[in-house]
Amino acid sequence: MKNLAKIGLGVLTSIGGFLEAGSIGTALEAGAAFRFQLLWALALGVICVAFLTEMTGRLAAVSGRTVVDAMRKRFGFRVHAWPLGAQVVLNLFVLASEIGGASFALQMATGVSMSIWALPVTAGIWIVLWRARFGQIEHSMAALGLVTLCFVVAAVRLHPDWTKAAVGLLPAVPADQPAHYAYLAVSIIGASVSPYLVTFYSSGAVEEKWTTKDLMPNRIVAAIGMGFGSAVAAAVMIVAAVVIAPRTAHLTSFDQAAGVLVPALGRAGFWLFCASLFIGCVGAAFELALDLGYNVAQSMGWEWSESRKQWTEVRFSLVYTGALAVAVLPSLFAVNPFQLTLLSMALTALALPLVIGPLLIVMNDQTYLKQHTNGLISNTAVAAIAILTLVLALVAVPLQIAGG
């Protein structure tokens, strides 16, 4: 019964925490510009992140180490400094887009500029991080995040052409705007397989003191939880394809999509959209700020934990405090969070090989995994992911120039 409860809670956490600025923004733009044609990119991204989260959870359960800690000890700090630096920069970009998305959601709901809301939103995130514990933050935000299921309800009520949606699961480059299509594919996969999801998942497993008894729940949560979470993101793309695509081929701001739920859910749709964007972005901001603290502290060999008093681990707390102070700057100057989100998701591809490559080596090291090292399927999957992300890394920036 305890394992069933843990699995149920893990699946709900995955569903409630899946949507944030990256997944919402990329799905909306993909649905508006190409209707159902990019559902395959979302499916591929979710398969990738399911394999990666299972691996990192397994590493934490067997060895008691996080991904970052294992990489630093396996390769040394000089080698590890490269993925660390790349991920810190990338996390700051994505954190900025999440703060911007939350502030913009409040702007849509109140009419008050996002630049006014930016500081209160960031201060609120910092206060919660300082006072709350890891489990409280994770589970409360996941519960609130279940509001995003409104997109699933809307997708069903809109009665889309499910046959065409199924065809969208097969890659096919369109005759029009192939560069923009490829750029959005990169962004969608980047939103699904962001490195912070991998490193944060393993840190959370260590925070919750997983053991080998948690291997099966971890496997189920990684597969089912991410699968259901992706269904919510797919619903966003489907709703955008039905509602937005007929009137505009491109989105440039979140407010253009503010009424996307209204045809299916009535006037409540607007408020549900604002709530989904705000809660999703704030939840992701918590994870990103913590992940920055985790990564730096684990790389430097400092004490770290969101489950202990913060003044006992000042350096860990100072890292996420500094990260929030930097990430709020674009919102103070009212930088368009939608555009920043798409750029951040594309740039994610640049950091993925630096995390996935070393992870493959660690996951086959019996020093850490003992008899639980990767099998043929896991090795093949992660190798394919590494090759895919390397290709994405090589094309992400040119695609941004050509298609963005």
Side-chain angles (χ1 to χ4, degrees):
M1 282 299 291
K2 188 178 292 186
N3 274 348
L4 286 176
K6 188 174 293 186
I7 291 169
L9 182 60
V11 170
L12 287 176
T13 300
S14 298
I15 297 171
F18 196 90
L19 278 195
E20 35 72 49
S23 51
I24 293 175
T26 55
L28 286 172
E29 171 65 359
F34 299 102
R35 296 183 183 258
F36 311 114
Q37 294 181 60
L38 280 161
L39 282 171
W40 67 267
L42 179 60
L44 181 60
V46 170
I47 292 172
C48 292
V49 78
F51 269 106
L52 291 172
T53 51
E54 187 281 326
M55 289 179 194
T56 55
R58 176 163 30 106
L59 173 66
V62 175
S63 69
R65 296 187 183 278
T66 66
V67 171
V68 172
D69 184 35
M71 286 182 179
R72 179 178 65 88
K73 290 187 178 298
R74 178 67 174 77
F75 300 103
F77 183 79
R78 288 187 178 181
V79 174
H80 175 66
W82 291 98
L84 172 65
Q87 193 163 353
V88 166
V89 173
L90 177 65
N91 278 8
L92 285 172
F93 262 97
V94 182
L95 180 57
S97 70
E98 302 296 349
I99 292 173
S103 302
F104 198 84
L106 292 175
Q107 174 180 307
M108 291 190 296
T110 65
V112 178
S113 172
M114 64 175 289
S115 60
I116 303 298
W117 284 112
L119 283 178
V121 166
T122 306
I125 292 169
W126 181 85
I127 290 170
V128 172
L129 288 176
W130 181 264
R131 298 186 63 86
R133 297 293 170 260
F134 179 83
Q136 295 172 323
I137 296 172
E138 182 185 31
H139 298 145
S140 60
M141 291 310 302
L144 291 172
L146 293 175
V147 70
T148 58
L149 290 172
C150 63
F151 283 98
V152 177
V153 175
V156 173
R157 285 192 173 187
L158 288 170
H159 303 291
D161 187 329
W162 294 108
T163 301
K164 289 184 178 179
V167 172
L169 293 172
L170 301 175
V173 179
D176 295 330
Q177 307 179 80
H180 188 55
Y181 175 88
Y183 170 62
L184 280 177
V186 170
S187 299
I188 290 169
I189 295 174
S192 301
V193 200
S194 184
Y196 91 85
L197 294 172
V198 176
T199 52
F200 179 80
Y201 189 84
S202 70
S203 296
V206 173
E207 287 266 32
E208 295 179 347
K209 298 179 173 59
W210 286 10
T211 66
T212 52
K213 293 180 181 179
D214 296 296
L215 289 175
M216 183 55 69
N218 168 59
R219 195 169 299 152
I220 295 172
V221 169
I224 298 178
M226 295 302 171
F228 280 130
S230 71
V232 182
V236 176
M237 192 182 299
I238 291 170
V239 170
V242 175
V243 178
I244 301 176
R247 61 174 195 256
T248 180
H250 291 296
L251 294 178
T252 58
S253 180
F254 281 116
D255 57 357
Q256 289 178 279
V260 71
L261 295 173
V262 172
L265 303 178
R267 294 179 60 185
F270 169 77
W271 300 106
L272 286 170
F273 179 85
C274 293
S276 297
L277 182 60
F278 177 78
I279 293 171
C281 289
V282 169
F286 282 132
E287 293 182 358
L288 283 154
L290 279 177
D291 191 60
L292 278 159
Y294 288 148
N295 283 353
V296 174
Q298 292 163 15
S299 298
M300 298 298 180
W302 301 339
E303 291 293 320
W304 60 274
S305 177
E306 181 63 11
S307 300
R308 294 199 286 265
K309 298 295 184 182
Q310 301 300 349
W311 54 80
T312 64
E313 296 161 344
V314 176
R315 292 175 295 188
F316 165 68
S317 304
L318 283 175
V319 173
Y320 69 66
T321 301
L324 288 168
V326 172
V328 73
L329 295 177
S331 297
L332 291 176
F333 293 97
V335 172
N336 187 329
F338 187 82
Q339 299 293 346
L340 182 60
T341 295
L342 294 183
L343 174 62
S344 300
M345 295 305 101
L347 290 177
T348 297
L350 296 173
L352 283 174
L354 293 174
V355 175
I356 293 178
L359 176 62
L360 179 60
I361 297 173
V362 169
M363 293 305 299
N364 286 277
D365 191 333
Q366 291 185 351
T367 304
Y368 300 104
L369 277 301
K370 300 176 183 178
Q371 72 270 29
H372 299 285
T373 54
N374 275 1
L376 177 62
I377 295 176
S378 296
N379 277 328
T380 303
V382 82
I385 295 168
I387 294 171
L388 171 65
T389 53
L390 179 59
V391 173
L392 292 178
L394 292 175
V395 301
V397 173
L399 285 176
Q400 162 62 5
I401 296 171

